[in-house]
Amino acid sequence: IPKEMKKLLLLLLVPIISTAQVSSSIKPNKIVIQDNVERYLFDYSQADELGFIKMHAPTNWTEPIIEAAFEIKGIVLSGTLGLEFKDGIELIETNNGFQIPKEKRVRIFNGGKNELVLIEILQPAYSEKRVKRFTGFD
């Protein structure tokens, strides 16, 4: 693992380690989501204050435009993450980190030609009531 990725991974995991319950194993909750195509998440979250998710999204996957009432930080493990904002598109390649501020309107999508796999840290954790959907950026 590149030195920069180790540093980012450590920064992402320190809050999880410090707030996690003492346990030898955490079994994830598998969640299947139907957007324009099916994708799935493995939710390792242990508390409402912090979410820890591994996401797998196929080629051509996209979410609708959303605003989340939580900050999203993560690392792209494989593939290309696409983030569309009002002022343009950002592509995040394998082994790079990303951050989406709380309440920032964004369309998240697979920006590459292969399956997208990433780790997301959500603060606070994901909840349907914390996500608003939109049809445009205005």
Side-chain angles (χ1 to χ4, degrees):
I1 298 176
K3 187 176 181 179
E4 300 80 31
M5 189 170 171
K6 285 181 185 178
K7 286 180 185 178
L8 182 57
L9 193 55
L10 183 61
L11 288 173
L12 291 171
L13 292 178
V14 165
I16 293 169
I17 293 166
S18 65
T19 62
Q21 299 173 4
V22 176
S23 174
S24 59
S25 177
I26 298 171
K27 302 273 189 223
N29 179 25
K30 184 176 181 179
I31 302 167
V32 178
I33 299 173
Q34 182 66 46
D35 292 313
N36 66 319
V37 295
E38 187 176 277
R39 68 179 160 125
Y40 59 97
L41 311 174
F42 292 101
D43 188 352
Y44 293 84
S45 304
Q46 295 291 297
D48 188 55
E49 300 83 33
L50 191 68
F52 185 57
I53 294 173
K54 182 178 182 186
M55 182 181 80
H56 293 255
T59 306
N60 300 322
W61 163 75
T62 183
E63 276 188 335
I65 297 168
I66 64 161
E67 274 183 21
F70 46 82
E71 178 182 54
I72 304 170
K73 292 180 183 177
I75 297 173
V76 177
L77 300 178
S78 65
T80 303
L81 171 65
L83 301 174
E84 181 181 8
F85 300 99
K86 184 177 182 174
D87 56 348
I89 292 176
E90 197 175 328
L91 297 176
I92 315 296
E93 301 292 338
T94 300
N95 294 330
N96 286 294
F98 62 94
Q99 178 178 359
I100 304 169
K102 180 178 179 179
E103 311 285 336
K104 179 76 173 176
R105 201 169 289 194
V106 61
R107 183 176 69 88
I108 305 169
F109 63 98
N110 184 335
K113 296 181 181 187
N114 299 308
E115 179 185 42
L116 169 64
V117 180
L118 54 83
I119 298 290
E120 293 179 317
I121 307 298
L122 313 175
Q123 198 168 13
Y126 173 82
S127 166
E128 184 67 33
K129 68 182 180 192
R130 292 183 175 138
V131 178
K132 296 178 189 171
R133 288 169 172 68
F134 297 88
T135 57
F137 286 99
D138 294 319

